[in-house]
């Protein structure tokens, strides 16, 4: 059977297992999966600066039971935490042609001088990974994080990234274990 050019066509397989078994990604050497784990329950901790984050919050066995429960996607300012500094409005500068540039420059200078530290959020969740998924490519996908962030899986740093306003995915397969796994995201 020859596929027709286009976005919709079928590939014949003898069984569902033929689709997934012995298929290897050349880039990672792992078997891909179409299954998606929903991570509905997250724990959230807001801090005014880095000093407000408990040490070891990224570790697998850290006790986050006293943290607030949140459903993602979410914006912590809309949940009543912190205030976005880039949305501060200075009426005295509103008529100046370059007020946005001046506000940005003022914030950048204050940050560089150490006069200002933006608030942080820490998000944690847990998921159970079946043994069958340990040989598959498992990704952590986000639909956008406004701010610099760090991703940890089972206490190990996976990635650091600047703000991403579109979807982004991170390969987390090498960091997973059978059973309970912890995901932690620090957002600055």
């Amino acid at each position: 059977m020859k596929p027709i050019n286009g976005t919709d066509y079928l590939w014949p397989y003898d069984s569902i297992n033929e689709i997934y078994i012995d298929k290897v990604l050349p880039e990672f050497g792992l078997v891909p999966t179409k299954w998606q784990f929903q991570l509905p329950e997250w724990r959230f901790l807001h801090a005014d600066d880095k000093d407000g984050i408990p040490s070891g919050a990224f570790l697998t066995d850290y006790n986050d039971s006293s943290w607030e429960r949140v459903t993602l996607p979410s914006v912590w300012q809309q949940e009543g935490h912190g205030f976005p500094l880039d949305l501060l409005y200075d009426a005295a500068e509103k008529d100046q042609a370059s007020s946005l540039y001046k506000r940005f420059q003022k914030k950048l200078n204050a940050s560089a001088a150490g006069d200002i530290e933006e608030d942080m959020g820490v998000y944690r969740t847990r998921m159970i990974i079946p043994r069958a998924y340990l040989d598959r490519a498992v990704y952590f996908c986000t639909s956008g994080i406004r701010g610099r962030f760090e991703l940890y899986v089972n206490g190990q740093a996976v990635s650091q990234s600047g703000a991403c306003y579109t979807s982004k995915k991170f390969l987390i397969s090498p960091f997973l274990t059978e059973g309970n796994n912890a995901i932690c995201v620090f957002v600055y």
Side-chain angles (χ1 to χ4, degrees):
M1 177 176 163
K2 182 177 178 181
I4 300 170
N5 288 338
T7 57
D8 298 321
Y9 50 83
L10 300 174
W11 290 95
Y13 291 100
D14 292 332
S15 71
I16 191 76
N17 290 336
E18 185 182 342
I19 296 171
Y20 296 107
I21 294 182
D22 297 328
K23 304 294 182 198
V24 177
L25 284 175
E27 185 176 356
F28 301 117
L30 299 173
V31 180
T33 181
K34 292 181 131 183
W35 308 112
Q36 184 178 37
F37 289 101
Q38 294 295 327
L39 302 173
E41 184 178 302
W42 286 78
R43 297 290 185 153
F44 174 73
L45 176 72
H46 178 263
D48 292 329
D49 55 33
K50 289 182 184 179
D51 295 333
I53 301 297
S55 63
F58 62 93
L59 296 173
T60 306
D61 58 352
Y62 182 83
N63 183 2
D64 58 12
S65 62
S66 64
W67 293 15
E68 180 180 348
R69 291 176 191 233
V70 294
T71 302
L72 298 182
S74 174
V75 177
W76 74 57
Q77 290 87 357
Q78 292 177 341
E79 303 292 330
H81 302 286
F83 190 78
L85 294 174
D86 59 339
L87 297 181
L88 291 177
Y89 178 73
D90 188 351
E93 294 183 1
K94 74 175 184 171
D95 293 328
Q96 296 180 10
S98 62
S99 65
L100 180 61
Y101 173 77
K102 287 183 179 182
R103 286 195 336 236
F104 177 74
Q105 193 66 37
K106 184 178 177 182
K107 180 179 175 184
L108 186 62
N109 290 341
S111 180
D115 295 339
I116 179 176
E117 283 202 33
E118 293 196 48
D119 50 348
M120 290 181 56
V122 182
Y123 296 88
R124 287 180 51 92
T125 192
R126 299 186 192 289
M127 66 178 179
I128 296 175
I129 297 290
R131 182 170 199 50
Y133 280 80
L134 293 180
D135 294 331
R136 298 186 180 274
V138 179
Y139 294 89
F140 175 80
C141 301
T142 177
S143 58
I145 298 176
R146 189 180 181 279
R148 187 172 66 83
F149 65 95
E150 299 171 9
L151 173 64
Y152 294 87
V153 174
N154 291 328
Q156 299 177 52
V158 174
S159 181
Q160 294 182 13
S161 181
C164 60
Y165 297 97
T166 59
S167 60
K168 193 168 188 175
K169 66 181 182 178
F170 302 91
L171 180 70
I172 62 172
S173 300
F175 307 96
L176 296 175
T177 60
E178 182 179 1
N180 198 20
N181 290 267
I183 297 177
C184 182
V185 182
F186 287 79
V187 181
Y188 301 91

